Amino acid sequence: AVSLIEQTIGPSRIVELSIEIEVGQEIDPANFAERLVKMGYSRRPVVEQLGDFAIRGGLIDIFPATHSEPVRIEFFGDDIDSIRTFSVLSQRSLEKQDNAVILPLREILIDMETVELAAHELPQNNAIALHQALGPNSTFDGLEFLSPLFENRNCSLLEHLPDNALILLDDPGFIWSEIEQTFEKASERYEERKDIPFGAPDKIYVSFEKTKAKIFEKTRLEFAGLIKDGIASVVIPTIPQEPCGSHVK
């Protein structure tokens, strides 16, 4: 339930942060590798897990964030000669591909220039803490909670769904309760600690009202979990469809 209200970057921003490559494309391997590091990928001798990339001669192996198998990119000079998947265990190439899309490992990409700009807007003690936390190439868990300092994150997971998406709600009452409790706990924590500026609930979460409105825009199945006389009832509200008349083929 909480993932529904966590602020994230919009679909267009994800496209901006991603790399789309194809066979025959001209791209400088050194610049490509440098960008992978900025996207959160770690250079290793051998690719073994998601988020790794390795350089061996004219080959760049990478395990993208959304792929089930790593990808091997073979260069001829600055041209991409081939793209193939490969096995992590045997390191042998598998299937050829015409293209591949590489998404960043994180929703926010941070360099030291960005850290300096953000620290300049903070009180001194917070600026010092930010510098200590975000040293060069720092990628620690929970970094996204600092995102209000670096990115405009006013979208939710729901913004990434297609217009015709079907949403299944398992016990809506429980979901609404969890969301409300999350806001209450975040507000209490902020009042106690006054984390500036990224601890405010409205900087971390999309409002409950906006979230619920977005859900109700979609076709949805609500599994209410109500049992009467041994029979479970299921509420299935849908968006009314236009009448098709006699034009059905």
Side-chain angles (χ1 to χ4, degrees):
V2 177
S3 61
L4 289 174
I5 61 173
E6 290 179 345
Q7 291 189 11
T8 183
I9 56 178
S12 60
R13 181 58 175 152
I14 289 184
V15 173
E16 291 177 11
L17 298 176
S18 304
I19 303 177
E20 186 172 357
I21 58 174
E22 60 182 11
V23 175
Q25 179 179 347
E26 183 178 346
I27 182 172
D28 181 72
N31 291 339
F32 180 64
E34 183 178 339
R35 188 172 176 186
L36 290 176
V37 173
K38 291 181 178 180
M39 293 169 66
Y41 290 86
S42 300
R43 183 171 178 176
R44 309 291 186 190
V46 178
V47 169
E48 295 180 328
Q49 60 185 357
L50 187 148
D52 289 350
F53 82 94
I55 301 177
R56 294 180 296 133
L59 298 177
I60 294 183
D61 293 345
I62 178 173
F63 205 145
T66 57
H67 288 217
S68 58
E69 294 175 322
V71 174
R72 176 164 291 152
I73 307 165
E74 185 174 3
F75 286 85
F76 183 76
D78 289 348
D79 296 329
I80 296 179
D81 192 51
S82 69
I83 302 173
R84 294 167 291 175
T85 59
F86 69 93
S87 167
V88 171
L89 296 178
S90 67
Q91 294 291 308
R92 291 184 177 180
S93 299
L94 299 174
E95 298 182 359
K96 288 186 176 182
Q97 295 185 335
D98 295 327
N99 52 59
V101 177
I102 303 171
L103 272 63
L105 283 184
R106 292 189 175 276
E107 297 177 25
I108 53 176
L109 307 181
I110 296 177
D111 54 33
M112 288 311 296
E113 181 180 356
T114 306
V115 172
E116 291 290 346
L117 290 173
H120 184 70
E121 302 296 326
L122 297 176
Q124 183 177 6
N125 59 328
N126 295 94
I128 294 174
L130 187 67
H131 273 290
Q132 292 175 343
L134 298 180
N137 302 322
S138 176
T139 55
F140 61 86
D141 292 337
L143 185 61
E144 282 72 18
F145 282 95
L146 300 178
S147 60
L149 293 169
F150 310 104
E151 284 277 0
N152 180 20
R153 286 161 46 105
N154 54 6
C155 295
S156 72
L157 176 66
L158 299 169
E159 311 283 343
H160 295 264
L161 299 179
D163 293 337
N164 62 347
L166 173 64
I167 297 179
L168 282 74
L169 300 174
D170 187 2
D171 196 346
F174 176 77
I175 294 174
W176 309 143
S177 176
E178 282 289 299
I179 291 176
E180 290 178 337
Q181 288 182 29
T182 297
F183 270 107
E184 290 176 2
K185 292 178 180 178
S187 298
E188 292 174 0
R189 183 174 64 248
Y190 180 65
E191 290 301 321
E192 291 176 359
R193 300 180 55 183
K194 290 294 183 182
D195 294 330
I196 300 174
F198 38 83
D202 63 342
K203 298 292 186 180
I204 300 174
Y205 303 114
V206 177
S207 71
F208 173 68
E209 293 75 15
K210 182 179 178 180
T211 301
K212 199 168 184 179
K214 280 291 181 182
I215 291 176
F216 276 61
E217 289 177 1
K218 308 291 185 183
T219 301
R220 62 194 188 280
L221 298 180
E222 296 185 3
F223 296 93
L226 300 178
I227 299 178
K228 184 177 181 180
D229 299 328
I231 300 176
S233 61
V234 179
V235 181
I236 309 179
T238 61
I239 297 176
Q241 303 296 316
E242 296 182 3
C244 58
S246 59
H247 303 289
V248 177
K249 294 183 180 181

